[in-house]
Amino acid sequence: SQEPAAADPAKAPEASGYPTRPVSAMVAWKVGGGQDLMVRAVANHFKNYANGQPMVVTNVDGGASVQGVVEYKGYEADGYNLLSWATAQTIKTHMQSTDYTVEDFQPVCNIVSGNPYILVRTDSQFETVNDLVEYAKANPGKLTIGNSGAGGGNHLAALQFCIATGIEANHIGYEGGSASAQATLSGEVDCSVNVPSEGIASVEAGDLRMLCLLAEERSAFFPDVPTAKENGIDVVNEQNRGFVIHKSVPMETVKQLEAILKQVSENEAFIKQATEINMEIKWMGIDEYTQSLKAEDELYKEIIQSNGLGDKY
């Protein structure tokens, strides 16, 4: 006989049976972008570890992620609504005044990460990244660096590179990363800063070349490409992608979500899917992701303020 034990649905998330219904995940960008691909790959495997409950993906595009985050803030803080978070969203809170900051949310976990790289044409005069730096020092402001739009992750990574090397360059923004890689290919700019998988097809075709990766260590995807650090340039830039949730959600529920998502991140089929979209698994749990977001927040505040970017400061 059926016991009337679960009569109070409000207590459901606290019970060990969480989740008892579908969990929604908000993507603050359109379908098909990097963040959307990552979240949908997670959703493919979520129910295997979540009592058979699916992850339902919602896309709200607008204002370079602002519209989706604002809408998410109005969702019920019941532990069944996740917000996917990317480094670009942290940057956005410093480029303009937004109704939220990173600290308004409870970090759950980071899933994947990608590092920007510097692309040049295969026939470029710059054989190494140090050639590029020497040229820029000898010709202040003459080097042109393409990016995926002013104030975006690629632009900020390029500025971080310029600050570290003490060079002045002319930053040219395009409508997205693929367009900036194309501009490098056509010779419109000397180089561009891109993230996987922007420009990869041209690299594979032998028309573009990666000078360096702004990473702590070489990538399994591009083992022959040196890091900037190997060339004596201390720049590491990470474009992380993970999940946050409303701050008022009980920590017990947050930990249950963390446990589910950790299992997804270790699923072989998920890892294969992430690899196919050139994303490296970079698991960070609640504590580590909280520290990482804090450091990311401070880094971009400093770069944006000191370069007089955006209209917030």
Side-chain angles (χ1 to χ4, degrees):
S1 67
Q2 190 67 40
E3 291 294 320
D8 184 0
K11 290 206 169 81
E14 276 68 73
S16 58
Y18 175 87
T20 56
R21 53 190 168 86
V23 173
S24 84
M26 157 72 80
V27 176
W29 280 284
K30 61 179 181 289
V31 174
Q35 190 74 353
D36 179 67
L37 291 173
M38 183 278 283
V39 175
R40 286 178 192 278
V42 169
N44 285 344
H45 306 283
F46 186 83
K47 67 176 182 295
N48 299 342
Y49 310 104
N51 298 330
Q53 295 296 339
M55 173 182 273
V56 181
V57 184
T58 312
N59 297 76
V60 175
D61 184 30
S65 80
V66 175
Q67 201 171 316
V69 179
V70 170
E71 190 163 312
Y72 173 81
K73 280 182 74 187
Y75 287 4
E76 211 173 330
D78 57 2
Y80 282 86
N81 291 302
L82 277 164
L83 170 65
S84 66
W85 193 268
T87 296
Q89 280 157 286
T90 302
I91 291 169
K92 195 68 183 164
T93 65
H94 296 293
M95 284 297 290
Q96 68 181 70
S97 290
T98 51
D99 291 340
Y100 55 88
T101 68
V102 178
E103 291 181 353
D104 290 349
F105 305 100
Q106 166 60 51
V108 180
C109 67
N110 189 73
I111 302 267
V112 299
S113 184
N115 297 91
Y117 38 76
I118 299 175
L119 291 178
V120 293
R121 265 166 65 132
T122 305
D123 60 4
S124 166
Q125 60 175 310
F126 309 126
E127 289 294 328
T128 69
V129 68
N130 287 325
D131 292 344
L132 181 140
V133 171
E134 279 169 32
Y135 170 85
K137 282 185 171 168
N139 303 276
K142 200 174 170 198
L143 180 78
T144 50
I145 306 180
N147 64 62
S148 56
N154 293 353
H155 181 207
L156 273 290
L159 284 170
Q160 191 185 352
F161 175 80
C162 290
I163 292 165
T165 51
I167 63 172
E168 280 177 50
N170 186 5
H171 298 272
I172 315 283
Y174 288 89
E175 283 291 318
S178 298
S180 69
Q182 191 58 40
T184 302
L185 186 61
S186 69
E188 209 171 291
V189 288
D190 297 318
C191 63
S192 56
V193 172
N194 294 92
V195 290
S197 52
E198 298 160 3
I200 294 293
S202 298
V203 171
E204 286 169 350
D207 301 322
L208 287 179
R209 185 158 49 82
M210 287 186 189
L211 276 187
C212 71
L213 203 63
L214 305 182
E216 200 65 62
E217 51 193 38
R218 290 195 183 200
S219 164
F221 295 122
F222 321 115
D224 300 335
V225 180
T227 64
K229 286 183 94 164
E230 283 177 58
N231 286 278
I233 300 164
D234 191 14
V235 181
V236 174
N237 185 284
E238 291 185 334
Q239 301 284 326
N240 290 322
R241 301 181 190 275
F243 291 96
V244 298
I245 201 165
H246 295 102
K247 245 190 167 153
S248 57
V249 171
M251 188 47 72
E252 191 186 343
T253 303
V254 180
K255 285 181 173 168
Q256 284 165 324
L257 275 164
E258 176 195 42
I260 292 165
L261 292 164
K262 184 167 197 334
Q263 288 176 286
V264 171
S265 77
E266 293 167 348
N267 176 294
E268 280 184 24
F270 170 75
I271 294 168
K272 185 172 182 289
Q273 265 186 293
T275 304
E276 281 164 5
I277 50 175
N278 291 300
M279 289 185 186
E280 304 207 38
I281 305 296
K282 186 179 183 185
W283 172 262
M284 287 187 264
I286 296 167
D287 297 341
E288 197 185 348
Y289 191 38
T290 300
Q291 290 308 311
S292 172
L293 283 174
K294 194 176 186 323
E296 180 178 274
D297 197 41
E298 286 164 6
L299 169 72
Y300 290 113
K301 181 182 181 180
E302 165 60 27
I303 294 174
I304 289 164
Q305 262 188 319
S306 61
N307 283 277
L309 295 170
D311 52 20
K312 180 173 179 174
Y313 302 112

